[in-house]
Amino acid sequence: MLQIRGINAVSIVAPSDQSFPMTKVAACLEEDPGITHLCFVHCETTTGVVNPLRPMVELATRHGVRTIIDAMSSFGAVEISAREVPFDVLVTSSNKCIEGPPGVSFVVASLETLDSKTSETNSFVLDVRDQWRNFEQTGEWRSTPPTHVVQACAKALEELAIEGVVRRGERYASVRDAVIRATGPYASPLLDPRDRSPVCLALTARDVVRTQEDLDALYAHLVEYNLYIYTKLHLPTRSFRIGCMGCIDPMWIRLLGIAFEDFFQLHSMNPEATRAAV
Ligand SMILES: *Cc1c(COP(=O)(O)O)cnc(C)c1O
């Protein structure tokens, strides 16, 4: 996205199954005083790692660098306090832990940031400031809003307010732990317990699920039980993911355990059988 807009960027590459290497980030900011913004993902949905929000923001602030946080898969289930963690911009949307339909995104930014005139806009669609001013002045969207999505999202936010972020996070965590128990004999969590988010769980079953074709076979097997997991194998870690967001019936997790048992037992008797089935 930055390349398309002609904005220079340095990327800090780190393994996706570990939380951010703070020393690497600090070294990067020290080496390059030209850096103005630090953009990072709070919960890395690829593996479920929760990155250290407060230390990252504090580090950036010490260097006079502004922060932009992708909180897509944490907002609504992981506590984030704008009072305690002075980030500049945080972005999320309606379709993950808010449990609404896809179609609306949210930007949380200080009035100071919104009001500043530090940069020219280079996009109409992504001009949050212009949309914000328009809301303030006329109460209206600049173009036709997705009305049904907005209504459903407003309802979802009401329900989030009733349940509360902490309890929602706990509910997802108990789904995650039940999935770990149900799949335990056949698959193991990729991450250390301290790095695991409540939002999604990355599992590995190294003897059986090694390639995308192997995961395709497991996926097709689960579909027969009317269970749907994320389709892609994360190749660097050979892990696959199960989401814990939304309204998950405990019965589905028990069924998942049975489906795993059927799949992995069949596979241990005849490793080619599952592949042949696909
Ligand atoms: C889901 C996700 C996105 C993409 O958001 P969509 O609105 O679903 O396209 C971006 N970043 C992270 C960390 C996500 O989990």
Side-chain angles (χ1 to χ4, degrees):
M1 284 192 278
L2 293 173
Q3 259 167 16
I4 290 169
R5 319 213 79 79
I7 297 167
N8 286 331
V10 195
S11 53
I12 301 169
V13 180
S16 50
D17 56 350
Q18 287 159 30
S19 69
F20 280 139
M22 294 291 296
T23 48
K24 243 181 164 175
V25 181
C28 185
L29 294 182
E30 251 140 57
E31 257 166 46
D32 192 341
I35 293 174
T36 55
H37 292 73
L38 177 67
C39 181
F40 63 95
V41 175
H42 184 203
C43 173
E44 176 49 66
T45 327
T46 317
T47 53
V49 169
V50 192
N51 284 306
L53 182 66
R54 183 199 286 257
M56 288 284 282
V57 171
E58 284 172 353
L59 176 68
T61 308
R62 275 201 301 281
H63 285 83
V65 166
R66 291 175 162 257
T67 43
I68 302 171
I69 300 160
D70 172 347
M72 276 296 306
S73 67
S74 56
F75 194 87
V78 179
E79 267 199 299
I80 300 169
S81 165
R83 283 194 191 85
E84 287 166 29
V85 183
F87 57 79
D88 291 287
V89 176
L90 180 142
V91 183
T92 188
S93 89
S94 53
N95 53 294
K96 292 210 175 142
C97 305
I98 290 177
E99 300 190 358
V104 187
S105 64
F106 300 88
V107 173
V108 180
S110 62
L111 290 176
E112 187 203 341
T113 306
L114 285 168
D115 256 339
S116 69
K117 309 263 182 317
T118 49
S119 62
E120 299 275 309
T121 180
N122 55 7
S123 163
F124 172 77
V125 173
L126 297 178
D127 192 348
V128 167
R129 229 179 239 154
D130 191 47
Q131 178 59 80
W132 170 69
R133 285 196 199 108
N134 213 63
F135 272 144
E136 292 294 304
Q137 284 160 17
T138 69
E140 297 205 5
W141 300 66
R142 294 176 306 168
S143 40
T144 312
T147 46
H148 307 58
V149 172
V150 173
Q151 264 194 310
C153 186
K155 181 69 187 158
L157 285 170
E158 255 174 50
E159 300 206 356
L160 175 57
I162 292 167
E163 184 173 27
V165 170
V166 172
R167 260 188 297 163
R168 179 158 296 186
E170 286 166 0
R171 176 162 64 81
Y172 291 177
S174 69
V175 167
R176 175 198 63 201
D177 295 340
V179 171
I180 293 174
R181 284 193 300 276
T183 57
Y186 312 103
S188 11
L190 175 71
L191 303 179
D192 281 348
R194 67 185 154 86
D195 289 332
R196 277 177 217 157
S197 80
V199 168
C200 66
L201 173 69
L203 291 173
T204 58
R206 284 181 208 278
D207 298 339
V208 180
V209 183
R210 284 163 303 190
T211 63
Q212 182 62 48
E213 288 70 36
D214 295 336
L215 183 61
D216 291 346
L218 175 61
Y219 183 89
H221 176 82
L222 294 177
V223 167
E224 305 220 341
Y225 294 75
N226 206 20
L227 296 170
Y228 296 83
I229 64 170
Y230 188 71
T231 51
K232 289 197 194 81
L233 187 74
H234 182 240
L235 267 179
T237 58
R238 301 202 182 266
S239 64
F240 55 97
R241 282 169 286 163
I242 297 184
C244 309
M245 290 172 244
C247 189
I248 295 184
D249 188 329
M251 275 304 292
W252 302 344
I253 303 173
R254 290 177 62 185
L255 190 60
L256 184 76
I258 294 166
F260 262 59
E261 186 179 333
D262 288 350
F263 180 83
F264 284 88
Q265 282 188 352
L266 174 69
H267 194 277
S268 66
M269 281 186 299
N270 178 4
E272 295 311 313
T274 48
R275 252 164 248 154
V278 169

